[in-house]
């Protein structure tokens, strides 16, 4: 069945360094790729998304890239800060599958001050 | 404030005792969905609804029921809870247009003993 793989499962970086999280999806019909941040005790929060007709999108310190041929997409966080520490989930969904959203297993990011 | 509200936040119950987790959104979103989050398994979709009186199964619907009688409400019903339904549950909503991410509630931590 469809699945989304996500790596690494845990990531520790020094404050100010960059962090990269990579995801791979299996369903070639996927055309929307959101990223969520989940802080302790809270629900996931959408932080950035990308559609299949775009290769890269940036929002301040956060960027997402998409390679549809390779079925890869990645989250890049630059100049990391302690408040970036959280669990990050990638997801993939297809417009042909109504509301079928497949989430990756998550990456726990720790930013060390 | 635009939000998804779940109640209760925490619930401990006994096997077989019917329970309902309520979910309400104030954003006039058409789509609503229930997810469960378990360690190592990420977020898995239980049920989703595309509008009033329109619901469908997600990946793990066994043991759950839902209803969508009003646009803003989407309760999750466990008619005979079992210990394997101990989990963290999230309700989420989004607009009907494709390419929009979900707004999640704060979660309900359910323990079935």
């Amino acid at each position: 069945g469809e699945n989304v793989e996500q790596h690494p499962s845990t990531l520790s970086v020094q404050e100010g360094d960059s962090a990269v999280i990579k995801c791979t999806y299996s369903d070639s019909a996927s055309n929307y790729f959101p990223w969520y941040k989940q802080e302790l005790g809270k629900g996931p929060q959408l932080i950035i998304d990308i559609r299949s007709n775009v290769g890269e999108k940036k929002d301040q310190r956060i960027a997402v890239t998409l390679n549809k041929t390779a079925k890869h997409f990645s989250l890049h966080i630059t100049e990391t800060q302690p408040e970036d520490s959280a669990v990050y989930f990638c997801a993939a969904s297809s417009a042909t599958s109504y509301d079928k959203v497949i989430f990756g297993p998550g990456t726990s990011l720790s930013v060390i001050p | 404030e635009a939000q998804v509200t779940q109640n209760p936040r925490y619930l401990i119950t006994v096997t077989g005792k019917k329970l309902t987790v309520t979910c309400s959104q104030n954003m006039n979103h058409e789509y609503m969905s229930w997810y469960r989050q378990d360690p190592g398994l990420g977020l898995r979709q239980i049920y989703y609804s595309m509008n009033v009186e329109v619901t469908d199964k997600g990946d793990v619907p066994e043991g759950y029921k839902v209803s969508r009688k009003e646009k803003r409400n989407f309760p999750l019903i466990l008619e005979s809870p079992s210990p394997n339904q101990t989990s963290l549950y999230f309700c989420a909503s989004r607009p009907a247009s494709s390419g929009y991410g979900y707004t999640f509630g704060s979660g309900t931590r359910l323990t079935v003993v």
Side-chain angles (χ1 to χ4, degrees):
Chain A
E2 303 116 346
N3 77 305
V4 174
E5 296 181 358
Q6 183 172 347
H7 299 281
S9 56
T10 59
L11 179 60
S12 289
V13 298
Q14 291 291 135
E15 182 178 357
D17 287 350
S18 295
V20 180
I21 302 170
K22 298 183 178 182
C23 289
T24 304
Y25 62 97
S26 61
D27 184 2
S28 55
S30 295
N31 61 356
Y32 175 66
F33 307 91
W35 286 87
Y36 292 87
K37 174 184 181 183
Q38 185 176 24
E39 297 175 329
L40 202 59
K42 296 184 178 181
Q45 179 185 11
L46 180 70
I47 55 171
I48 195 167
D49 56 17
I50 191 167
R51 292 167 177 75
S52 59
N53 58 347
V54 175
E56 183 174 358
K57 182 177 178 180
K58 266 185 122 173
D59 183 3
Q60 299 182 347
R61 297 186 296 109
I62 293 174
V64 58
T65 59
L66 171 65
N67 182 331
K68 279 219 77 176
T69 304
K71 296 184 192 171
H72 290 170
F73 57 115
S74 300
L75 178 72
H76 304 252
I77 306 174
T78 59
E79 300 171 23
T80 53
Q81 301 166 3
E83 52 265 38
D84 294 330
S85 296
V87 178
Y88 291 81
F89 293 96
C90 61
S93 69
S94 167
T96 63
S97 299
Y98 292 105
D99 214 35
K100 186 77 169 176
V101 180
I102 308 295
F103 283 84
T107 295
S108 179
L109 173 64
S110 298
V111 179
I112 304 162
Chain B
E1 180 189 355
Q3 60 186 355
V4 177
T5 304
Q6 292 177 233
N7 281 296
R9 287 294 309 273
Y10 301 92
L11 179 59
I12 300 174
T13 190
V14 296
T15 298
K17 185 177 180 182
K18 181 179 178 179
L19 67 91
T20 299
V21 183
T22 64
C23 174
S24 181
Q25 50 96 3
N26 62 0
M27 296 165 281
N28 201 37
H29 286 167
E30 289 79 15
Y31 279 52
M32 297 187 74
S33 191
W34 276 102
Y35 288 87
R36 60 178 288 174
Q37 186 175 31
D38 301 289
L41 297 176
L43 287 152
R44 294 180 293 167
Q45 192 177 45
I46 304 170
Y47 269 95
Y48 64 92
S49 168
M50 290 180 283
N51 216 320
V52 175
E53 304 291 3
V54 181
T55 63
D56 206 348
K57 298 176 182 178
D59 294 318
V60 288
E62 295 78 19
Y64 305 94
K65 283 177 60 176
V66 293
S67 68
R68 187 92 181 271
K69 294 185 171 59
E70 303 165 286
K71 195 172 185 179
R72 63 184 291 125
N73 296 324
F74 190 43
L76 179 70
I77 303 155
L78 285 72
E79 298 228 322
S80 184
S82 63
N84 65 10
Q85 293 178 298
T86 292
S87 186
L88 179 58
Y89 291 87
F90 288 103
C91 180
S93 73
R94 70 171 183 86
S97 304
S98 65
Y100 285 89
Y102 270 115
T103 299
F104 281 81
S106 298
T108 295
R109 171 79 63 186
L110 173 65
T111 301
V112 183
V113 298

